Amino acid sequence: MDFGLVLQTDPPASGVVSLMRRGERNGFRYGWTFDSAVLWQEPFVIYSQILEHTRLMHVGPMVTNPGTRTWEVTASTFATLNDMYGNRTVCGIGRGDSAMRVAGRKPNTLARLGEAIDVIRDLAEGREAEVDGQRMRIPWIRDGELPVWMAAYGPKALALAGQKADGFILQLADPYLTEWMVRSVREAATAAGRDPNAITICVAAPAYVGDDLDHARDQCRWFGGMVGNHVADLVSRYGEHSAMVPDALTEYVKARQGYDYSHHGRAGNPSADFVPDEIVDRFCLLGPPEAHIEKLRTLRDLGVDQFAVYAMHDAREAVIDAYGEHVIPVLAG
């Protein structure tokens, strides 16, 4: 199992780079960041510094979207980083939540997302693609490589990930839901004539190491609020108690009363006060190292290839070090 570290690009950027360097020293092979231009600093600028100050770490957004940058710009940016540092980027992509909504736009359609996955990958790897009716190719790319991993929750999005993506990003760590979603992605891949086992499965969730579970839950409750944005979209699309989406995912958002993106992804987010302890325990990894190892073994047995730690709480350095000392040596490889 591989391990990734997920951070927001809060200033100063040097602090983000320092935490990523700490992550690599502790065995984290992937460095991910949020991508929302209004809320945080521009991640692609910071990726160049992370790549410069690490040896092997791969970097990418968790996640970008097809709407905030033109597709040829996204592809060229990834390709430039790869040319400078040797194919060490991954394009995590989704419909767009905070980046689009904060700017007053709706998330992208799945049709647009599916088209973007193909175009961005083709352009970044040096092939010709069509953008807005114009055929183009980036001529300086040689031996380009850009895996595109798609974030998804709902049945149509899961199917699209299976049909087109190189990897699937699931932003929660509940074993029951992980099993259901991974199966959906792989069934879609098989139906599309693809090898379902060739799709990398990445589960991303907050991890908090320690014995004070009440404090850990309070530090990670924001995550249930963030996931709730996507779940609320599913409820509005499919209705409550739909056969298309498990109640285990949707039931908890009944008490949701809206969302303030100024607190997005932050401990103490008041918009997450509707999230019960049960959801925090199911979606996140909390407790002593042994509890993390046990849950990660379960996820690994369900086909998860990478666990990415969201480190947005008051113990970032401690969790990075605890994983490096106690967790990664047991599960890596």
Side-chain angles (χ1 to χ4, degrees), residues 25-43:
R25 291 195 300 270
N26 278 283
F28 289 85
R29 293 189 58 237
Y30 286 77
W32 302 95
T33 75
F34 283 42
D35 177 18
S36 186
V38 174
L39 297 176
W40 303 290
Q41 292 186 329
E42 171 55 39

Side-chain angles (χ1 to χ4, degrees), residues 253-302:
V253 300
K254 286 182 177 179
R256 183 178 180 269
Q257 299 294 322
Y259 193 82
D260 181 354
Y261 280 92
S262 65
H263 305 285
H264 189 58
R266 300 190 185 280
N269 183 347
S271 296
D273 58 359
F274 70 95
V275 180
D277 288 352
E278 177 208 358
I279 289 294
V280 183
D281 292 347
R282 282 174 45 204
F283 286 10
C284 305
L285 276 75
L286 312 174
E290 294 77 17
H292 293 244
I293 292 169
E294 180 181 4
K295 190 167 188 178
L296 288 169
R297 280 179 170 151
T298 299
L299 293 171
R300 184 182 62 184
D301 291 344
L302 294 173

